[in-house]
Amino acid sequence: MRALIAAAIGLAVALALVFTITAMGSPTGRTSPKPLLTTVPSHP
Amino acid sequence: MRRKASLILLALAVFFAALSPMLRWYAFPRLAKIPANQYQDMVLEAKDATLVDNSLQEKKVSKITIVQTLKGNVEASEKIEKTLGRDVVVWDSLSYAQDPDGKMVAYIPERYIFDAHSQDPVHATGEMVDGDPVKREGIEFKWPFQTEKRDYEYFDAQTRTSNPIHYKGTQNFRGLEVYYFEQTIPWTQVKFPKKLPVAGITPEQIAKTGMTRWYTTVRKFWVEPVTGAPVYGEEIHKEELRGGTLLGDREKVTAFAGHVKMREDYIEHTVDLVKSNRLLVLLMTTYLPWGFLTLAVLLLALALWLEARSRRPDDPVPTTADEPEPVTA
């Protein structure tokens, strides 16, 4: 019984971690202030 | 104490065993996406190209340089995301070409809207090529994550049509395994760009003379399959002006002909960038899932071993010979 509870805790923590990380996602940030180029950049 | 430790190890084993497939098949498809605020520029060159001058005469030039900029428009993508309820990327792009003297020869803006995860096109207001509304099918600029060895539909901005781009084999490009794709667009009549190199001349004025613009290209891409990012590209591009009163007795004139290739410093930069992004994707799809699974097996084995030891008596009980019980008469 105690083994089952331990396994359930492990599973629950894994699920919670994955769901939290995916729900948070990644920040979208802001549009770059750099312009669309009409000059040739000298380097990348 | 040993039993408690084995239970903790068992919980950890289940934790990592569950994390392994969930990371690969649940988290990765949701987390792997093109950032909405990406900004990227690229320089391509066509050496010894043919170009038409203002008097409609063909001339050889040492080099045509094409600067391509992609800029993620975060505000526009958030607006579309609100109505569609999915992650969307809006790329405003500009293909700007100039001759060796720095004079503009082409200026084509585009707005490309696509799903941030799958790279499938998304149709929304504002999707355009050179100011003309379009409805893209297939991909443009980038392949999906986990690119497959198959043909894809690729959008051609000049003809505003999507056509198959064929998988032609696997190659090694500067230490990276890449898939080589090729697409041929046959001679097709296309629109004149809205912004022409000659000031004061509009596409409508040219169209009135009966002149038409034709284009063909062979498009080549070397795509890193894990990230779906092209690490190198080439285009054998030809344009002709045909018919009309401006050409006199000539049937056609070459407007542009050149073999367009990425500039060397941009190739190196792209390869380095793709290598680091590839590592990130592989971490989520391969390294971490397999690492977690191996760890789970080891932890489970350790838990079982500890459990078995805890059940074994520490001090063996001394064996004593049974004495015969007295028998009553």
Side-chain angles (χ1 to χ4, degrees), chain B residues 8-288:
Chain B
I8 292 168
L9 288 173
L10 176 67
L12 285 171
V14 173
F15 171 78
F16 284 114
L19 210 54
S20 169
M22 287 194 72
L23 192 63
R24 172 64 186 85
W25 285 292
Y26 183 85
F28 172 72
R30 286 161 179 81
L31 292 175
K33 63 176 186 178
I34 308 295
N37 64 339
Q38 188 164 353
Y39 180 92
Q40 193 177 315
D41 57 58
M42 176 63 61
V43 176
L44 304 113
E45 293 174 335
K47 287 180 178 159
D48 302 319
T50 305
L51 202 63
V52 69
D53 63 16
N54 291 350
S55 56
L56 294 176
Q57 298 297 317
E58 287 177 20
K59 63 173 182 179
K60 276 276 179 190
V61 292
S62 59
K63 187 173 71 180
I64 294 289
T65 309
I66 299 140
V67 185
Q68 200 168 56
T69 323
L70 298 174
K71 180 173 166 173
N73 188 325
V74 178
E75 292 74 26
S77 65
E78 282 174 347
K79 209 170 161 186
I80 298 168
E81 279 171 6
K82 274 179 193 165
T83 51
L84 294 181
R86 63 200 251 213
D87 290 330
V88 167
V89 174
V90 175
W91 271 350
D92 289 327
S93 85
L94 178 66
S95 288
Y96 180 87
Q98 67 175 46
D99 67 10
D101 303 324
K103 275 177 63 185
M104 186 270 278
V105 292
Y107 183 103
I108 311 285
E110 280 186 60
R111 175 166 279 194
Y112 176 38
I113 309 168
F114 59 97
D115 186 288
H117 302 280
S118 66
Q119 274 98 89
D120 288 336
V122 170
H123 304 304
T125 310
E127 187 184 7
M128 63 89 178
V129 174
D130 200 18
D132 296 329
V134 291
K135 230 178 173 183
R136 285 176 177 81
E137 297 300 330
I139 53 174
E140 193 181 359
F141 301 118
K142 190 195 171 291
W143 269 248
F145 294 104
Q146 314 289 334
T147 301
E148 295 168 20
K149 293 178 181 178
R150 64 172 175 88
D151 298 352
Y152 284 84
E153 284 289 301
Y154 192 91
F155 182 78
D156 179 72
Q158 292 274 1
T159 60
R160 274 75 149 164
T161 59
S162 297
N163 303 283
I165 189 161
H166 302 288
Y167 168 74
K168 295 263 184 178
T170 303
Q171 297 180 10
N172 187 296
F173 186 83
R174 304 194 181 192
L176 276 174
E177 188 190 85
V178 292
Y179 294 172
Y180 171 59
F181 290 90
E182 194 177 294
Q183 182 188 52
T184 301
I185 304 289
W187 280 108
T188 309
Q189 187 179 343
V190 292
K191 286 186 167 185
F192 281 96
K194 296 267 190 323
K195 198 168 180 174
L196 292 167
V198 188
I201 304 287
T202 65
E204 292 77 20
Q205 286 171 319
I206 294 178
K208 275 182 190 167
T209 69
M211 184 187 277
T212 53
R213 179 170 170 253
W214 292 72
Y215 145 91
T216 182
T217 200
V218 179
R219 181 171 284 130
K220 302 173 179 185
F221 279 113
W222 286 259
V223 177
E224 196 289 306
V226 173
T227 56
V231 288
Y232 183 59
E234 286 185 10
E235 213 173 306
I236 303 166
H237 186 119
K238 288 178 194 161
E239 287 179 33
E240 287 179 356
L241 303 175
R242 297 182 187 176
T245 52
L246 292 173
L247 290 180
D249 56 353
R250 292 175 298 170
E251 278 186 12
K252 61 184 181 184
V253 63
T254 300
F256 173 75
H259 193 152
V260 183
K261 297 176 181 178
M262 276 167 67
R263 204 171 74 185
E264 180 56 35
D265 53 349
Y266 273 87
I267 300 173
E268 287 170 20
H269 174 74
T270 308
V271 168
D272 289 345
L273 183 71
V274 170
K275 275 182 179 170
S276 67
N277 287 341
R278 180 178 185 272
L279 183 65
L280 283 177
V281 175
L282 282 176
L283 262 178
M284 290 200 73
T285 56
T286 309
Y287 300 153
L288 284 178

